[in-house]
C-alpha cells in the first residue's frame, strides 16, 4: 500500500476506496425544523460571504468531475430548494463533460413548482424526506404544518419525469415508529421508492440515544407484519440501502442501517459543505478549506490536489459504537445530509 496520496487521478483513500459520489450542501438554512436535525429556534446560519457563490460551487464541482473522477453529484443542505440559484447550478453541472448524474435530497416544499425547471435543467432524480403521513405528527416532527406541501412536491416530481422518486424516512421511538408499513403502502401505491434510515447522532442538540434508536431489525420486523419481503437480487454495490422486493416485486424497499450495519468499507462519498469545506465523511472531525484556497487564487490543479489529500485521510469507519466516538461539531444540516 502506498503511504501518500496520489498526485493525479481519482479520489482514493489509504484503504483503497474511491470516491465517485459527491454530496454538495447548497445552504445550511431550512424551512422546517425536524426534531432529529435542528432545534426549534434554528441554528446560527452561515453569513452570506461565507457561502460559496453559485460560480464557486460550479467550479469546484467541475474540478471534481473533470479531474477527480466524480460521476454522481447530489445537491442537499439544509434545504436546497431555498437556494435561489439552484436551477442555474444544476444546468451548469449538467453541461459538464463528462456529464455526471445529478440528484437532489429535499424536504419537497416547493418541488411541485420547481420540478419542471429542474428537470429541464438536467436534474435526474430526487429523494424527498417524509417521515409520517399523519398531519399532526408531521407538525410535531418538523415543527411546521406543511405535510400537504410535501405531498404536492412528491407528485410534482413524478409528473415532471424525475425518476425514480425516492422517499427517505427516519423513524423515531414514540413518535412515528409504527408508521413503516403505512409509508411503504403509500410508496408502493404511488410508485415511489421508500428507504428507511436509522437515526444517526448528527442532530445539533446532541439528543441522539443509541438505546432508543429504532433499529433496522425493528424496521424490517414491522414491515413484515404487512408485507412479504424477499432479498433483492440486484447488486448492492456502494449503495447504502439494503433492499428487499415487496410482495415478490417489482416494488422495492430499502433500509439504511448506518448505525447497526455500517457500510463504511464500501463508502464512495466525498462531501462539500455550503462554505466550501471538503469532508471525507459525515462523521469526520476535520475539514479541508477549499474556499480559502479558491479565493486565494488557487488553480484547478491545486484545488484537485487539496481534495485528494483530504480524501486520503478518510478514516476506516464512523466509529459510532466506539467508546471514543465524538459527534462532529457541525450538525447534519450544515454538513449536507
Ligand atoms: N432538507 C433536506 C431533506 O430533509 O431531505 C436535505 C437535508 S437533510 C439533512 C438530508 C436527510 O438527512 C433527510 O432525509 C433527513 O431525514 C436526514 N436526516 C437528518 N438528520 C438525521 C439524523 N440525525 N439521522 C438520520 N437521518 C437524518
Ligand atoms: Fe430541514 Fe432536512 Fe433538517 Fe428537516 S432534515 S430540518 S428538512 S435540513
Amino acid at each position: 500500500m502506498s503511504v501518500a496520496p496520489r498526485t493525479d487521478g481519482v479520489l482514493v483513500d489509504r484503504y483503497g476506496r474511491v470516491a465517485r459520489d459527491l454530496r454538495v450542501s447548497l445552504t445550511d438554512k431550512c424551512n422546517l425544523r425536524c426534531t432529529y436535525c435542528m432545534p426549534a429556534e434554528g441554528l446560527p446560519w452561515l453569513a452570506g460571504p461565507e457561502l460559496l457563490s453559485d460560480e464557486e460551487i460550479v467550479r469546484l464541482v467541475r474540478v471534481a468531475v473533470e479531474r477527480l473522477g466524480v460521476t454522481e453529484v447530489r445537491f442537499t443542505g439544509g434545504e436546497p430548494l431555498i437556494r435561489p440559484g439552484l436551477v442555474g447550478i444544476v444546468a451548469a453541472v449538467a453541461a459538464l463533460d463528462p456529464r455526471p448524474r445529478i440528484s437532489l435530497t429535499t424536504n419537497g416544499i416547493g418541488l411541485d413548482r420547481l420540478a419542471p425547471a429542474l428537470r429541464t435543467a438536467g436534474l435526474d432524480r430526487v429523494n424527498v424526506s417524509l417521515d409520517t403521513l399523519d398531519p399532526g405528527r408531521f407538525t410535531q416532527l418538523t415543527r411546521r404544518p406543511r405535510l400537504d406541501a410535501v405531498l404536492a412536491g412528491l407528485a410534482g416530481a413524478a409528473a415532471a419525469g424525475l425518476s425514480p422518486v425516492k422517499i427517505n424516512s427516519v423513524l423515531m421511538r414514540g413518535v412515528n415508529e409504527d408508521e413503516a408499513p403505512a409509508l411503504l403502502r403509500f410508496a408502493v401505491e404511488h410508485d415511489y421508492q421508500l428507504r428507511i434510515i436509522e437515526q444517526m447522532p448528527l442532530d445539533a442538540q446532541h439528543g441522539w440515544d443509541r438505546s432508543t434508536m429504532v433499529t433496522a431489525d425493528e424496521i424490517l420486523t414491522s414491515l413484515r407484519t404487512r408485507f412479504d419481503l424477499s432479498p433483492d437480487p440486484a447488486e448492492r454495490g456502494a449503495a447504502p440501502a439494503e433492499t428487499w422486493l415487496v410482495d415478490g416485486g417489482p416494488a422495492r424497499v430499502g433500509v439504511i442501517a448506518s448505525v447497526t450495519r455500517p457500510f463504511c468499507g464500501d463508502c464512495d462519498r466525498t462531501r462539500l459543505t455550503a462554505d466550501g469545506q471538503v469532508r471525507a465523511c459525515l462523521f469526520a472531525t476535520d475539514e479541508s478549506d477549499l474556499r480559502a484556497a479558491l479565493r486565494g487564487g488557487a488553480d484547478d490543479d491545486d484545488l484537485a490536489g487539496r481534495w485528494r489529500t483530504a480524501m486520503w485521510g478518510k478514516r476506516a469507519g464512523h466509529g459510532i459504537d466506539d467508546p471514543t466516538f465524538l459527534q462532529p461539531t457541525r450538525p447534519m444540516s450544515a454538513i449536507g445530509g
Side-chain angles (χ1 to χ4, degrees):
M1 192 191 299
S2 64
V3 291
R6 288 165 37 163
T7 52
D8 63 353
V10 296
L11 290 170
V12 65
D13 66 34
R14 68 189 74 203
Y15 303 100
R17 294 169 297 187
V18 177
R20 299 200 180 276
D21 181 341
L22 167 61
R23 310 264 146 150
V24 184
S25 173
L26 295 180
T27 174
D28 57 332
K29 295 196 188 66
C30 191
N31 43 9
L32 295 183
R33 293 286 183 274
C34 304
T35 51
Y36 52 72
C37 185
M38 53 171 92
E41 65 277 15
L43 292 165
W45 312 121
L46 292 166
E50 293 178 274
L51 289 173
L52 294 178
S53 68
D54 294 358
E55 293 71 27
E56 288 171 332
I57 288 170
V58 173
R59 171 150 177 229
L60 291 177
V61 175
R62 181 171 59 68
V63 168
V65 168
E66 289 180 353
R67 293 174 189 248
L68 299 170
V70 162
T71 55
E72 299 267 354
V73 179
R74 174 172 294 274
F75 294 109
T76 177
E79 177 43 50
L81 292 181
I82 65 177
R83 178 146 183 147
L86 174 64
V87 173
I89 293 171
V90 169
V93 170
L96 295 175
D97 184 18
R99 181 201 192 283
R101 284 181 292 275
I102 308 172
S103 55
L104 184 73
T105 299
T106 169
N107 64 29
I109 296 173
L111 189 57
D112 48 338
R113 193 172 46 79
L114 274 167
L118 286 167
R119 179 83 187 113
T120 305
L123 184 69
D124 296 305
R125 306 182 279 121
V126 69
N127 287 40
V128 176
S129 302
L130 175 64
D131 307 319
T132 175
L133 295 162
D134 177 274
R137 281 185 179 181
F138 185 94
T139 306
Q140 181 191 355
L141 233 155
T142 67
R143 303 189 180 101
R144 300 285 186 274
R146 305 303 305 278
L147 175 61
D148 287 348
V150 177
L151 298 179
L154 277 165
L162 295 167
S163 175
V165 174
K166 292 188 182 175
I167 296 179
N168 290 355
S169 304
V170 176
L171 297 183
M172 297 182 74
R173 183 106 37 218
V175 183
N176 63 340
E177 65 185 293
D178 57 348
E179 241 183 286
L183 285 162
L184 182 53
R185 174 76 56 213
F186 170 79
V188 170
E189 280 173 9
H190 291 81
D191 203 18
Y192 306 142
Q193 290 183 19
L194 177 68
R195 297 145 31 110
I196 304 181
I197 308 168
E198 282 179 347
Q199 191 189 348
M200 296 180 280
L202 285 165
D203 56 317
Q205 315 88 288
H206 292 232
W208 181 85
D209 181 348
R210 172 77 151 93
S211 63
T212 58
M213 184 193 84
V214 181
T215 64
D217 284 347
E218 290 175 275
I219 294 165
L220 288 168
T221 302
S222 170
L223 289 173
R224 286 194 160 115
T225 60
R226 303 286 167 77
F227 299 92
D228 175 51
L229 303 185
S230 49
D232 185 348
E235 185 89 6
R236 180 173 175 187
E242 220 174 318
T243 51
W244 280 264
L245 295 179
V246 179
D247 292 336
R252 289 177 162 79
V253 63
V255 177
I256 304 188
S258 324
V259 179
T260 59
R261 289 176 224 159
F263 34 85
C264 303
D266 290 320
C267 180
D268 67 347
R269 293 195 185 161
T270 181
R271 295 173 183 275
L272 183 65
T273 65
D275 57 348
Q277 312 294 309
V278 165
R279 294 179 69 98
C281 170
L282 263 178
F283 295 91
T285 46
D286 54 349
E287 302 183 334
S288 175
D289 190 353
L290 289 192
R291 185 191 65 192
L294 185 154
R295 292 186 183 168
D299 64 17
D300 289 355
D301 277 341
D302 186 359
L303 293 170
R306 288 167 189 262
W307 207 322
R308 283 188 201 100
T309 304
M311 292 307 294
W312 184 253
K314 178 165 171 147
R315 287 183 299 169
H318 56 47
I320 291 175
D321 275 338
D322 296 349
T324 55
F325 174 74
L326 277 183
Q327 184 169 336
T329 43
R330 295 228 247 181
M332 185 132 163
S333 55
I335 300 167

